[in-house]
Amino acid sequence: MNIVDILVSELGLRKNQVVSAIDLIDQGNTIPFIARYRKDVTGEMTDIQLRDLNHRLEYLRNLDARKEDIKRLIEEQGKLTEDIEKSLEKAMTLQEAEDIYAPYKQKKRTRATVARERGLENLANMILLSKNINLEKEAQAFVNKEKDVEDIDTAIAGAKDIIAEIMSDDAQIRKMIREEALKRGLLISKAKGEEDSVYRIYYDYSEPVRDVLPHRILAINRGEKEGFLSVKVSLDDENMIERVKSAYLSLQNEGNDGIILEIAQDAYKRLIFPSIEREIRNHLTDIGQERAIQVFGKNLNGLLLQPPIKDVSVMGFDPAYRTGCKIAVVDKNGKLVDYTTIYPTKPHNKVEEAKKTLKKMIDKHKVDIISIGNGTASRESEMFVSDMLKEINRPVSYVIVNEAGASVYSASELANEEHPDINVSIRGAISIARRLQDPMAELVKIDPKSIGVGQYQHDVNEKRLNEVLDGVVEDSVNKIGVDLNSASYSLLEHVSGISKSIAKNIVAYRDENGEFENREDLKKVKRLGPAAFKQAAGFIRITNAKNPLDNTGVHPESYKACMNILDLLGYSLDDISSNGLGDIDKRLKSYGLVKLCQDSGLGEATLKDIIEEIKKPGRDIRDSGVKPVLRKDVMSLEDLEEDMELTGTVRNVVDFGAFVDIGIKNDGLVHISQISNKRVKNPSDLLTVGDIVKVKVIGIDKERGKVSLSMKNVKQ
């Protein structure tokens, strides 16, 4: 199996790209480093392409190792043939390899095992290798009470069990039935009782296996797990049995059609199809889980890359009823400056007292924005805030933020380290405030699974989910870059090449020695060796560094080349600091891109990246994004009318549509069919968490509190 050729074919990449990427990965380079600083080597492969390649590479290498292991195990039995070796070489999945191994695998005691122990294998061979067998006559010779073969019926049954197991272990048979099930099988679900549930659409459901959408698979699985659905895969059984029989008919056993048909029926119904059905269900589940994981990852990426609202004082408002609303004010740098608890909601309803308290805090700390969590009592809290703001002279807005994970953070070890003297309940309000100022810096402190922007995240493979989400966090953090002198260790540990322990060492060094003056100072940090420095250096920023390149994405390995570029184009380092490169594109065009690459010794992709970086030192790519919708007033379901056009924020994207915050208690749903006038295959292709969109109200269900929205024919 040529892994490189397989990856080229599957991923649509050039061979040199695949070879280079594998080599870089095997050298221990991180995906962000390869994607950012080895573009010329990989042909500008993206972080997504590199992670897909790495994931598939790991699978194929594991497959290769397992095939060698199987070959060894069969050889130890003295049963390895050239045909088996060829079959193993052709196997493209772990399942196919295991099918080949099945006849040689040590089994638990089965009916066939018992029959072999009773000496009935020769009788089984006679059925397969003799013409027009008189089975009862031949079976007489195998009756042996000492071996528990009491009569000819027992002998015949045992021989049939042996052949049924041979049929069941036949890799070609299993492959044929598996392929038929994938092509022509039906996934069928039925209600197990008469009780109504959210799974009612699957109470009498049938769809070709090949057409079932990933989110439906997971919904059906959950309905089955919760006891509302019975689920099965249906196939043309008679046809399959006939094909199993045909595979074991030959000139050698002419005349034994009826016996072999009987055995094929037993093998198929008792052994083969139940196993294949489990495989198909597992296969569908894998598809559903992988899709759900990818959707989760894309949503998380959108959430992490939401533009920060800088230079504002924020009041975090964590809504509640009985226990009171927790309030935390953070200054423009995210530092906690004040906190309290108010009781404007039921059962206390101390509205005026709460207003008085917040007005004082707003005035004292010059609060610009109130960030309200969207959890319990959010609606009532929003109405309270909206009403209070009408009584304030200075301009203050509010915004509803997704508070998912705030409670997880508040009880975490990290929160305790950051705010040891602050009550756990207040810490959630701090998180709600800070995630408006810098979403990424705050959200990386929380387990991604707790952020609440996926679908069926509790039904998927946890190891794979963590792998993808960790990759998303790592790519997002490194795409933005991290301020070395202000970042928490929770943010630093996601920088390429930096572990949690090294991140803590960086913070400890900073606390002891003061701010880092340049990137080279990183080398003084305990346990941060040359390899880690190489991976990390380009992704950290030092705002007031003497060398302005330390505040860009230019890697130190390219500093000399960058200085050469500046010299060739008639600039100096000072021009970077003073934003004096306004005509650099003009000078580059005049000099010639190809010539500059030759004269600087850099590849085209690297040179272009350097040019973009030195144009705007310290830039944050998130700043170009659309800021959250700030509100002054509140809307209710009763305020809505059909055909009303509104502006909202995408809160979650799932396979069947997108949930949009339009300023009422519950998010409205833009169904996949209402996203565009053109056919939409995946909503995530067009929408990302955090997007600001214009929608039209097309349906209002006041009883269930649900709103249907459309983006069709609405000018964005």
Side-chain angles (χ1 to χ4, degrees):
M1 184 172 72
N2 190 314
I3 289 177
V4 170
D5 288 346
I6 293 169
L7 291 172
V8 168
S9 173
E10 289 183 353
L11 302 178
L13 298 166
R14 299 188 302 277
K15 188 170 183 175
N16 65 314
Q17 287 180 292
V18 172
V19 171
S20 298
I22 292 174
D23 186 45
L24 287 164
I25 289 169
D26 288 344
Q27 288 174 26
N29 294 292
T30 65
I31 298 300
F33 178 83
I34 299 170
R36 179 65 177 82
Y37 297 111
R38 294 295 181 265
K39 289 181 180 179
D40 291 303
V41 179
T42 67
E44 299 190 57
M45 287 177 66
T46 66
D47 48 7
I48 295 171
Q49 288 176 311
L50 286 163
R51 291 198 184 278
D52 287 345
L53 180 144
N54 192 36
H55 180 63
R56 188 65 177 143
L57 175 66
E58 188 177 341
Y59 179 90
L60 292 172
R61 282 176 168 174
N62 287 339
L63 173 60
D64 240 6
R66 180 55 181 161
K67 289 194 305 188
E68 287 300 315
D69 198 35
I70 288 171
K71 191 186 295 185
R72 176 184 59 78
L73 290 167
I74 298 175
E75 192 170 28
E76 286 175 357
Q77 298 177 34
K79 297 178 180 178
L80 186 64
T81 66
E82 191 176 330
D83 284 345
I84 292 173
E85 286 194 79
K86 285 181 179 177
S87 296
L88 276 171
E89 179 63 28
K90 290 178 182 176
M92 293 301 295
T93 67
L94 282 166
Q95 187 61 64
E96 286 179 33
E98 295 300 336
D99 283 351
I100 294 165
Y101 180 47
Y104 311 97
K105 191 174 182 179
Q106 191 171 0
K107 294 181 173 70
K108 295 177 182 177
R109 279 177 63 81
T110 62
R111 285 162 48 173
T113 313
V114 173
R116 287 190 176 94
E117 291 171 355
R118 291 173 174 176
L120 298 171
E121 194 160 13
N122 284 338
L123 181 58
N125 289 334
M126 291 171 72
I127 296 171
L128 292 174
L129 302 174
S130 305
K131 294 182 181 181
N132 299 304
I133 189 172
N134 185 331
L135 192 53
E136 291 189 358
K137 181 182 175 182
E138 298 294 345
Q140 188 64 53
F142 292 87
V143 175
N144 186 336
K145 292 188 178 182
E146 289 182 5
K147 291 187 175 182
D148 292 327
V149 184
E150 299 286 340
D151 47 40
I152 58 175
D153 289 340
T154 304
I156 292 170
K160 287 179 176 178
D161 285 340
I162 291 171
I163 297 171
E165 188 170 273
I166 291 170
M167 289 175 173
S168 174
D169 286 342
D170 190 317
Q172 291 304 311
I173 290 286
R174 294 185 69 86
K175 185 178 180 182
M176 178 272 294
I177 295 173
R178 187 183 300 113
E179 288 176 349
E180 283 296 308
L182 290 170
K183 286 179 186 174
R184 297 180 177 84
L186 292 175
L187 183 67
I188 297 171
S189 67
K190 300 284 185 183
K192 287 188 80 171
E194 297 182 2
E195 184 183 354
D196 193 22
S197 74
V198 295
Y199 307 106
R200 69 179 70 86
I201 62 172
Y202 301 112
Y203 279 6
D204 189 15
Y205 165 86
S206 174
E207 191 168 7
V209 166
R210 65 176 183 271
D211 295 333
V212 185
L213 294 174
H215 69 275
R216 287 183 187 164
I217 296 165
L218 297 183
I220 289 169
N221 285 358
R222 186 183 285 182
E224 181 182 40
K225 186 179 179 181
E226 293 179 7
F228 291 99
L229 302 175
S230 61
V231 186
K232 67 176 185 178
V233 175
S234 174
L235 198 57
D236 185 345
D237 293 342
E238 293 305 312
N239 179 259
M240 293 298 99
I241 291 167
E242 187 63 32
R243 290 173 73 169
V244 174
K245 182 195 84 170
S246 298
Y248 281 82
L249 286 178
S250 66
L251 292 174
Q252 288 179 298
N253 57 36
E254 193 176 6
N256 300 344
D257 302 44
I259 300 168
I260 291 174
L261 174 61
E262 188 182 330
I263 297 170
Q265 288 172 330
D266 175 54
Y268 178 82
K269 292 179 179 179
R270 179 170 61 88
L271 299 172
I272 302 174
F273 187 72
S275 173
I276 296 295
E277 184 179 31
R278 283 193 298 274
E279 286 179 22
I280 297 301
R281 291 289 308 278
N282 289 336
H283 171 72
L284 289 175
T285 299
D286 288 344
I287 291 173
Q289 289 190 358
E290 186 62 23
R291 175 60 189 164
I293 289 168
Q294 295 304 326
V295 168
F296 198 150
K298 196 162 185 177
N299 286 343
L300 178 61
N301 179 70
L303 196 60
L304 291 171
L305 296 183
Q306 283 188 104
I309 299 182
K310 299 175 180 176
D311 298 319
V312 290
S313 174
V314 181
M315 175 179 283
F317 193 119
D318 190 0
Y321 289 119
R322 183 182 56 80
T323 57
C325 303
K326 309 303 184 294
I327 308 297
V329 179
V330 298
D331 67 13
K332 295 180 180 184
N333 298 312
K335 181 183 177 183
L336 177 68
V337 292
D338 206 350
Y339 61 91
T340 191
T341 302
I342 59 174
Y343 301 88
T345 55
K346 60 185 183 182
H348 309 282
N349 295 315
K350 297 179 180 179
V351 175
E352 293 306 316
E353 184 181 313
K355 280 185 181 180
K356 187 177 177 181
T357 301
L358 289 200
K359 285 177 183 177
K360 273 187 182 180
M361 293 177 77
I362 290 169
D363 187 57
K364 180 180 178 181
H365 303 293
K366 303 292 187 285
V367 171
D368 300 296
I369 303 173
I370 300 174
S371 180
I372 306 173
N374 66 340
T376 304
S378 176
R379 171 67 178 167
E380 291 84 348
S381 298
E382 184 185 4
M383 293 176 72
F384 162 76
V385 168
S386 174
D387 192 47
M388 179 194 66
L389 292 182
K390 293 172 184 174
E391 302 172 11
I392 295 176
N393 294 323
R394 62 189 309 273
V396 182
S397 307
Y398 75 85
V399 63
I400 306 295
V401 300
N402 188 340
E403 69 173 42
S407 59
V408 175
Y409 161 76
S410 63
S412 68
E413 180 186 339
L414 176 60
N416 192 52
E417 289 176 15
E418 291 184 337
H419 308 289
D421 302 322
I422 302 295
N423 187 280
V424 171
S425 60
I426 296 294
R427 294 172 187 168
I430 300 171
S431 178
I432 289 170
R434 285 179 174 170
R435 64 178 62 187
L436 188 68
Q437 293 178 318
D438 192 341
M440 186 173 70
E442 196 62 26
L443 290 170
V444 294
K445 301 174 182 178
I446 302 165
D447 181 351
K449 296 191 295 295
S450 302
I451 295 176
V453 288
Q455 58 177 356
Y456 301 105
Q457 58 259 46
H458 302 296
D459 300 326
V460 303
N461 182 287
E462 189 168 357
K463 183 182 176 184
R464 175 62 178 152
L465 178 63
N466 288 334
E467 176 191 327
V468 170
L469 297 186
D470 288 347
V472 169
V473 174
E474 185 181 33
D475 290 340
S476 299
V477 169
N478 290 285
K479 195 173 289 181
I480 302 304
V482 171
D483 189 324
L484 188 60
N485 287 319
S486 64
S488 64
Y489 80 76
S490 58
L491 186 57
L492 285 165
E493 69 176 293
H494 297 289
V495 173
S496 169
I498 294 180
S499 64
K500 185 174 183 176
S501 60
I502 293 177
K504 287 186 173 182
N505 290 345
I506 290 172
V507 174
Y509 180 92
R510 194 172 67 200
D511 292 341
E512 187 176 338
N513 299 282
E515 292 190 347
F516 289 88
E517 294 182 359
N518 52 63
R519 282 170 167 166
E520 287 294 314
D521 282 347
L522 260 183
K523 295 177 179 178
K524 300 174 184 177
V525 173
K526 185 180 176 183
R527 292 180 57 207
L528 200 155
F533 178 82
K534 177 184 173 183
Q535 299 298 312
F539 301 111
I540 62 162
R541 305 286 184 269
I542 300 174
T543 307
N544 298 312
K546 191 173 180 180
N547 185 343
L549 295 179
D550 285 346
N551 194 31
T552 70
V554 179
H555 197 283
E557 66 183 10
S558 298
Y559 278 13
K560 188 176 178 180
C562 182
M563 294 293 292
N564 193 19
I565 291 169
L566 290 169
D567 187 52
L568 291 168
L569 295 179
Y571 295 113
S572 69
L573 278 177
D574 290 339
D575 292 318
I576 298 176
S577 305
S578 61
N579 294 314
L581 304 181
D583 62 344
I584 193 170
D585 290 335
K586 186 179 177 182
R587 293 194 193 185
L588 176 60
K589 187 177 179 181
S590 176
Y591 194 98
L593 179 64
V594 175
K595 188 173 186 307
L596 191 57
C597 287
Q598 292 170 345
D599 292 347
S600 65
L602 293 173
E604 187 175 313
T606 301
L607 187 142
K608 285 180 176 177
D609 278 351
I610 289 174
I611 296 292
E612 286 305 308
E613 286 295 331
I614 61 178
K615 280 181 183 177
K616 295 180 180 178
R619 69 173 179 152
D620 189 333
I621 62 170
R622 296 174 297 174
D623 289 340
S624 59
V626 182
K627 299 289 194 294
V629 177
L630 301 179
R631 304 186 185 279
K632 294 281 188 182
D633 210 346
V634 65
M635 288 185 65
S636 68
L637 195 66
E638 287 69 32
D639 296 326
L640 298 182
E641 296 177 2
E642 288 198 13
D643 295 326
M644 182 182 282
E645 293 192 3
L646 301 163
T647 299
T649 305
V650 177
R651 291 293 185 202
N652 199 6
V653 183
V654 293
D655 277 337
F656 54 85
F659 291 96
V660 179
D661 173 14
I662 54 172
I664 62 172
K665 185 177 182 180
N666 297 327
D667 296 337
L669 173 65
V670 182
H671 189 265
I672 187 171
S673 61
Q674 295 296 326
I675 293 174
S676 172
N677 289 317
K678 298 178 181 177
R679 185 177 178 274
V680 177
K681 187 177 180 182
N682 296 311
S684 57
D685 292 340
L686 297 178
L687 295 171
T688 302
V689 170
D691 284 350
I692 308 298
V693 295
K694 291 182 180 174
V695 294
K696 181 169 67 177
V697 179
I698 59 172
I700 304 168
D701 186 340
K702 291 184 179 179
E703 189 177 325
R704 299 168 67 192
K706 293 188 175 183
V707 180
S708 299
L709 306 171
S710 176
M711 293 173 61
K712 286 182 173 181
N713 303 315
V714 181
K715 191 175 180 181
Q716 299 297 320

